[in-house]
Amino acid sequence: MENERRTLLAELQELSLEAAVDRLLDAGVLDPAKLRSRLGDDLQRLRGNSLQGLGDELEALRREARQQRRHATSQIEEARRQRDLAGAARDTFVRLDERRQGVVRRREAARGELAEQTAALDDVHRALGAALAALTLLAEREPYAPEANLDSGLTVVTQYDGDRLVVRLAGEIDIATAPRLEAALAEATASDADEVWVDLVGVRFIDSTGISMLLRATLELTGPRRLAVICPDGPARRALELCGVGKLLALHGERPSASAGT
């Protein structure tokens, strides 16, 4: 019996599983009815295990799908939040740019207003300077007792010096004595003299009326004819310079310089 058993084990080692089962059935070691019953139970168990595994796998897939859906939803919400933040940042930038442009416009308006105020202040300063200069000239003016004839405050002597007509003035030139100066200048500009000299060496005072007459006479001379004003340092010279007519009139300090054209 022991030898048969050993021989059977040796044969089973060389057979496949299916052949080994058949050999055991032939040898009467295995009961066919029990084997069939056990095979049915195993098959049913395998089928049950397979369905359970498929269910578990399906449930796992469902859980993963739900997680991915939640993740996608969170990503969409994050994208919307980022879009809202970008829109808010863009609106903030637009408001800041508008505010910057407003500041630039206000700054330019302030600069323009400051320039206007500065120009007005300069005009006031010039007016004050002119007023102070006029007061200074009036303070330096020598008082005189006017005679019954108001023209006696100004002496006018006109004489030719070659091709040159000299208008020599002495005294004060103001609104009272201006008619004599106007008549003398009209006669000089209407003459055929190449040069007209207005000698203010003896003039103690001249106001805006006399200055405007000198300017008008200068403009009336045309072509090569010219008008020279001889006026040394003194009240009359300061009045001409304060009024800014130095570049419009040919001012000379003495007669030789006027003759030389300097």
Side-chain angles (χ1 to χ4, degrees), residues 33-49:
K34 291 182 178 180
L35 180 60
R36 283 193 298 269
S37 176
R38 187 167 182 177
L39 287 175
D41 295 339
D42 292 341
L43 180 60
Q44 186 176 1
R45 187 174 63 257
L46 289 174
R47 288 176 178 175
N49 292 337

Side-chain angles (χ1 to χ4, degrees), residues 17-255:
L17 179 60
E18 184 178 358
V21 171
D22 291 339
R23 180 74 178 84
L24 291 173
L25 288 173
D26 291 341
V29 177
L30 295 176
D31 186 0
K34 291 182 178 180
L35 180 60
R36 283 193 298 269
S37 176
R38 187 167 182 177
L39 287 175
D41 295 339
D42 292 341
L43 180 60
Q44 186 176 1
R45 187 174 63 257
L46 289 174
R47 288 176 178 175
N49 292 337
S50 299
L51 292 176
Q52 183 66 29
L54 290 175
D56 295 340
E57 185 175 355
L58 181 59
E59 183 63 25
L61 291 175
R62 288 176 179 173
R63 286 196 299 270
E64 185 177 357
R66 286 195 295 269
Q67 291 177 356
Q68 291 180 355
R69 185 166 58 250
R70 287 194 296 269
H71 183 65
T73 302
S74 63
Q75 286 184 338
I76 292 173
E77 292 177 353
E78 179 65 19
R80 290 176 179 173
R81 191 178 67 85
Q82 293 294 335
R83 183 186 59 192
D84 294 340
L85 290 176
R90 182 176 61 252
D91 295 340
T92 302
F93 176 78
V94 171
R95 288 195 299 270
L96 289 176
D97 187 65
E98 291 177 352
R99 186 177 301 175
R100 181 188 61 81
Q101 292 178 1
V103 171
V104 171
R105 288 192 296 269
R106 288 193 296 272
R107 184 183 301 167
E108 293 297 329
R111 287 178 178 174
E113 184 177 357
L114 181 60
E116 293 177 358
Q117 293 176 355
T118 302
L121 186 60
D122 291 340
D123 293 339
V124 172
H125 286 169
R126 284 193 292 271
L128 289 175
L132 291 175
L135 290 175
T136 302
L137 293 175
L138 289 174
E140 295 178 353
R141 180 177 179 179
E142 298 179 2
Y144 70 97
E147 301 176 1
N149 184 6
L150 295 178
D151 290 343
S152 61
L154 177 66
T155 301
V156 180
V157 177
T158 303
Q159 63 183 23
Y160 278 92
D161 184 4
D163 295 334
R164 183 183 303 115
L165 179 61
V166 180
V167 179
R168 186 171 289 106
L169 306 173
E172 299 183 355
I173 303 174
D174 53 20
I175 192 171
T177 60
R180 295 199 65 190
L181 172 62
E182 184 178 14
L185 292 176
E187 180 182 355
T189 55
S191 68
D192 57 355
D194 293 336
E195 293 183 359
V196 176
W197 282 12
V198 180
D199 191 340
L200 302 181
V201 174
V203 174
R204 300 187 302 271
F205 175 82
I206 183 171
D207 65 2
S208 59
T209 305
I211 295 173
S212 62
M213 289 181 180
L214 292 175
L215 290 173
R216 186 164 59 249
T218 299
L219 296 176
E220 289 177 358
L221 293 178
T222 59
R225 303 177 68 198
R226 72 185 186 96
L227 183 143
V229 178
I230 296 93
C231 186
D233 291 338
R237 180 64 176 253
R238 286 197 296 274
L240 294 174
E241 292 177 347
L242 287 173
C243 291
V245 298
K247 296 181 180 179
L248 301 176
L249 295 176
L251 286 176
H252 302 277
E254 54 186 9
R255 295 185 185 90

